[in-house]
Amino acid sequence: MTTKKLSALALLVAFMVGVQLTTHVTGTSYYLTQLTMTIYSCLLIIGLCLVMGYAGQISLGHAGFFAIGGYISAALTTFNFRPALEGGSSWVELLNTTGLFTSRTSMFGEPLLSVQPWIACLLAVSLTALIALLIGIPVLKLKGHYLAMATLGFGIIIFRIVLAMEIFGEADGISDVPGFTLLPGLTVNGNLDNRVVNYYIAAAFLISGFALLLNLIDSRVGRALRAIHGAEDAADAMGIDTARYKLYTFVLSAVFAAVAGVLLTHYSGGISPSDAGVMKSVRYVAIVAIGGMASLWGALTMGGLLNFLSLRGLFGSYDDAVFGAILIIIMLFAPEGVLRLKLWCKLKGHKEEG
Amino acid sequence: MALLKVDNLHKHFGGLHAVNGVSFEVQKGTIKAVIGPNGAGKTTLFNLICGALPADSGTVAFAGRPILGMKPYQIAAAGISRTFQNIKMFPGMTALENVMVGLHTKSQAGFWAGMLHLPASRREEKKIRTRAYELLELLEITQFADIEARSLAFGQQRAVEFARALASDPPLLLLDEPAAGLNIYETAEVARLICKIQQQGITVLLVEHDMSLVMDISDEIVVLSFGQHIAEGTPREIQHNQEVIQIYLGE
Ligand SMILES: Nc1ncnc2c1ncn2[C@@H]1O[C@H](COP(=O)(O)OP(=O)(O)OP(=O)(O)O)[C@@H](O)[C@H]1O
Ligand SMILES: [Mg+2]
């Protein structure tokens, strides 16, 4: 890593710590819950930024990937296998001996036997990666914005599936999702006395994910991606397997979305169909666009700001409409993102000349 | 030995027969030019050879190996590099970075190595940078290394494009109108660079409208008109070919 990148990351860490200390000093620790949720959304958004800004593709399915992560993990960690075990199901017995399951009591005091969060998480993320691969392989061979169409269809299907299936709780979603113990003593859950720790767990995930992506765009692969985005036929002529690079980028960003889904679900203790809705995907796309497409820092800043404001209820019942409007305005007036507004650049240019 | 052998190549765009049964060979180490009036099918021919467009029928063999049907990136990796009629610099990248992209096939670091910046990939990055700089040296444009390529003058962009195309050590280099849009000084400079490239042992196939450039540097010339192979020979022979003279006078 270059010193420039390191110092920027150090600044980010300092900012995150500063925010927590401020809430502590001002007695506003109740903000931490919404901040933690915002951080997980940002994890998804920086992944989407890689697809939009560097692979030059639009995904309208990222809420779907988030939902697959969250729902699979939630369903596996809440589904009770105890009746099946007591009923003498030999495969549940077999799985039980492998340490796949864990026992706990539900919030109604009922004994539960459900899948270990780590296992559930790995399954959820692998399944997401597999689905992204299956969507991406045929679609990303084509030149053009076919990924937007395909992922839009995919997003709608996921939304209908979680609404329709009993195992996903239909319209109510899944609740009573247990905490996810990452390491002994480090549990992702929504307990109030665990709020500060969880803020830092989320921050650690975001900062590591962000560092990985910053590294990536500043590498041979990142150069290839920028080349593809800038002039695809010239990238082809340089021997870059453009379809494969776009595919891997797409899968990587789906994995970021799934990880965010898993962690946020265990943090909030549940997930509901609104998290899987296509409007959520539109919101993510709007945020990346306003951040400047090919700017991880822009996506992070805007993701942090807008998600937090939205969670604070600033946009009221116009929440979705606000993000739709943002998308339209950005496309019309500042396709480079607000941080690089044309007007602003012009002013800057004049200053440099003068 | 023929490094490139094009045989009975055909390409239609709807009713338009853009490349109509073209056959020719390019001998190793030579400079061969493809000339012909606008719309003769020269760029289409290049796109077929590079795999950027699928051919209708015919064969293309490179170093004895059929390459038709391969993906563009595979053909590039196999050793055919190209430049574009309308220079295609990667936007937002410096001249040096553009050349570094050209070294793609000469390096390995993948997604994991990139995300983790492993020591091996850092060493490789350093090598890529050094080599890219050497290529800028070869094309005598090191002074532009850190300038955004798209903001350079046309002639300088050409040189960057040459460096980028040469980065993969291609046995065969395809140049589509390297002198297009250049003034006479820049054109002379490009001619000198092409000869310098040939001296590195690289075979060159070029499309060009600038006849003095073509006659000066080519060993052999192929003439296309309306997609068809009209004539082939040394610059002297082509200059005295009645059919060719007619095509160019009738234009
Ligand atoms: N992708 C395409 N789709 C349809 N028609 C095309 C396509 N590419 C080229 N053509 C047509 O094929 C013919 C040959 O075009 P091509 O670009 O190969 O000519 P050229 O010899 O390179 O001409 P120039 O000297 O102007 O560059 C032209 O009539 C052109 O309009
Ligand atoms: Mg042409």
Side-chain angles (χ1 to χ4, degrees):
Chain A
M1 264 196 216
T2 59
T3 26
K4 199 175 146 209
K5 205 158 50 179
L6 274 178
S7 46
L9 277 175
L11 211 65
L12 181 62
V13 173
F15 176 76
M16 299 282 230
V17 174
V19 167
Q20 190 270 320
L21 292 178
T22 309
T23 61
H24 182 76
V25 171
T26 57
T28 50
S29 301
Y30 51 84
Y31 279 140
L32 284 183
T33 304
Q34 283 152 348
L35 286 168
T36 306
M37 294 166 88
T38 300
I39 292 174
Y40 285 130
S41 300
C42 285
L43 190 59
L44 178 151
I45 284 165
I46 56 171
L48 181 61
C49 177
L50 194 69
V51 168
M52 286 174 61
Y54 295 89
Q57 294 285 323
I58 291 174
S59 164
L60 286 167
H62 265 54
F65 294 126
F66 176 94
I68 296 177
Y71 266 103
I72 297 289
S73 192
L76 288 175
T77 53
T78 53
F79 187 82
N80 194 0
F81 287 91
R82 190 164 292 287
L85 185 67
E86 280 158 7
S89 163
S90 52
W91 64 266
V92 173
E93 227 168 277
L94 183 73
L95 289 177
N96 196 20
T97 56
T98 61
L100 191 74
F101 294 122
T102 171
S103 296
R104 63 186 173 100
T105 45
S106 77
M107 60 195 215
F108 308 111
E110 181 195 3
L112 277 179
L113 185 72
S114 52
V115 177
Q116 275 271 6
W118 261 116
I119 309 280
C121 169
L122 288 179
L123 283 174
V125 174
S126 328
L127 181 68
T128 310
L130 183 69
I131 291 174
L133 209 57
L134 292 179
I135 298 175
I137 287 173
V139 170
L140 290 171
K141 276 193 193 135
L142 310 170
K143 302 202 162 156
H145 281 292
Y146 297 98
L147 189 70
M149 312 277 183
T151 48
L152 177 63
F154 155 78
I156 293 169
I157 292 169
I158 294 297
F159 182 62
R160 301 316 305 188
I161 287 178
V162 300
L163 263 183
M165 286 183 67
E166 203 189 325
I167 185 167
F168 296 129
E170 294 166 356
D172 299 329
I174 302 177
S175 53
D176 196 21
V177 177
F180 179 176
T181 302
L182 299 166
L183 292 169
L186 273 188
T187 301
V188 176
N189 62 18
N191 291 355
L192 284 188
D193 50 359
N194 210 5
R195 204 153 54 182
V196 175
V197 172
N198 260 279
Y199 171 82
Y200 281 110
I201 292 176
F205 269 101
L206 179 64
I207 291 169
S208 337
F210 194 63
L212 289 180
L213 294 188
L214 281 182
N215 274 345
L216 183 66
I217 58 171
D218 181 28
S219 73
R220 170 175 177 264
V221 172
R223 252 192 328 269
L225 288 174
R226 280 187 286 152
I228 295 170
H229 191 16
E232 187 160 350
D233 38 2
D236 268 334
M238 300 299 121
I240 297 170
D241 185 349
T242 51
R244 175 185 295 251
Y245 273 79
K246 284 191 274 188
L247 179 67
Y248 286 0
T249 308
F250 178 57
V251 173
L252 180 66
S253 94
V255 164
F256 268 62
V259 170
V262 170
L263 294 170
L264 187 50
T265 301
H266 285 280
Y267 177 68
S268 5
I271 183 165
S272 69
S274 69
D275 293 318
V278 170
M279 272 320 291
K280 274 279 158 64
S281 294
V282 171
R283 158 184 308 218
Y284 300 139
V285 168
I287 289 174
V288 173
I290 201 174
M293 296 282 192
S295 164
L296 283 171
W297 283 101
L300 183 69
T301 313
M302 288 301 157
L305 191 67
L306 294 175
N307 271 308
F308 183 69
L309 293 179
S310 161
L311 282 168
R312 293 295 304 155
L314 186 82
F315 309 131
S317 45
Y318 296 106
D319 211 34
D320 282 339
V322 166
F323 286 96
I326 285 177
L327 194 55
I328 295 172
I329 292 169
I330 287 296
M331 289 305 145
L332 286 179
F333 299 110
E336 301 270 296
V338 282
L339 300 180
R340 266 181 270 169
L341 252 178
K342 277 195 197 113
L343 189 68
W344 190 71
C345 287
K346 260 188 209 148
L347 290 175
K348 213 175 75 170
H350 277 306
K351 231 197 271 162
E352 276 163 13
E353 276 164 35
Chain B
M1 188 198 85
L3 184 62
L4 185 77
K5 194 167 176 340
V6 175
D7 196 22
N8 201 18
L9 204 57
H10 285 272
K11 177 71 188 177
H12 290 264
F13 293 114
L16 178 77
H17 209 156
V19 173
N20 187 354
V22 172
S23 307
F24 66 92
E25 291 184 356
V26 184
Q27 301 304 318
K28 204 168 171 197
T30 61
I31 297 179
K32 186 151 192 161
V34 179
I35 63 169
N38 288 112
K42 306 177 298 290
T43 299
T44 306
L45 175 69
F46 269 24
N47 284 334
L48 296 176
I49 295 172
C50 294
L53 283 173
D56 295 342
S57 63
T59 57
V60 178
F62 175 61
R65 186 169 145 221
I67 55 167
L68 222 53
M70 280 164 62
K71 298 249 165 52
Y73 78 90
Q74 293 168 323
I75 293 175
I80 301 182
S81 207
R82 74 175 296 187
T83 65
F84 295 87
Q85 185 168 350
N86 43 341
I87 308 173
K88 291 184 177 174
M89 289 287 107
F90 298 122
M93 288 197 203
T94 64
L96 187 72
E97 282 176 311
N98 264 278
V99 181
M100 288 169 79
V101 176
L103 284 156
H104 188 84
T105 57
K106 292 273 151 196
S107 45
Q108 268 99 43
F111 274 76
W112 286 113
M115 284 196 282
L116 299 172
H117 271 208
L118 300 172
S121 61
R122 264 191 310 224
R123 272 197 302 275
E124 186 184 83
E125 234 357 66
K126 220 182 212 161
K127 261 195 227 156
I128 293 177
R129 193 170 284 276
T130 313
R131 176 73 188 127
Y133 201 81
E134 283 169 14
L135 284 154
L136 292 182
E137 258 167 8
L138 178 73
L139 277 296
E140 303 156 25
I141 43 172
T142 46
Q143 66 272 35
F144 307 127
D146 297 322
I147 297 175
E148 188 182 337
R150 284 209 174 174
S151 67
L152 293 172
F154 234 54
Q156 295 157 355
Q157 288 195 36
R158 274 289 173 216
V160 177
E161 208 191 15
F162 280 12
R164 188 176 75 177
L166 287 173
S168 55
D169 284 337
L172 178 63
L173 182 61
L174 270 47
L175 304 172
D176 196 351
E177 300 201 21
L182 304 188
N183 63 34
I184 49 167
Y185 304 106
E186 289 171 325
T187 302
E189 186 60 22
V190 159
R192 194 174 66 77
L193 288 177
I194 295 173
C195 292
K196 194 168 172 184
I197 289 167
Q198 184 199 19
Q199 278 153 23
Q200 308 270 315
I202 295 167
T203 309
V204 177
L205 179 65
L206 84 152
V207 164
E208 187 48 63
H209 282 297
D210 187 315
M211 282 309 142
S212 63
L213 172 73
V214 168
M215 297 301 163
D216 269 1
I217 66 171
S218 323
D219 297 303
E220 274 192 312
I221 298 173
V222 182
V223 187
L224 297 188
S225 176
F226 292 109
Q228 277 180 313
H229 178 293
I230 299 298
E232 187 168 356
T234 62
R236 259 190 92 76
E237 287 163 2
I238 294 300
Q239 273 168 328
H240 296 102
N241 184 306
Q242 280 310 314
E243 215 174 338
V244 176
I245 293 169
Q246 216 146 42
I247 288 170
Y248 274 91
L249 290 180
E251 218 185 353

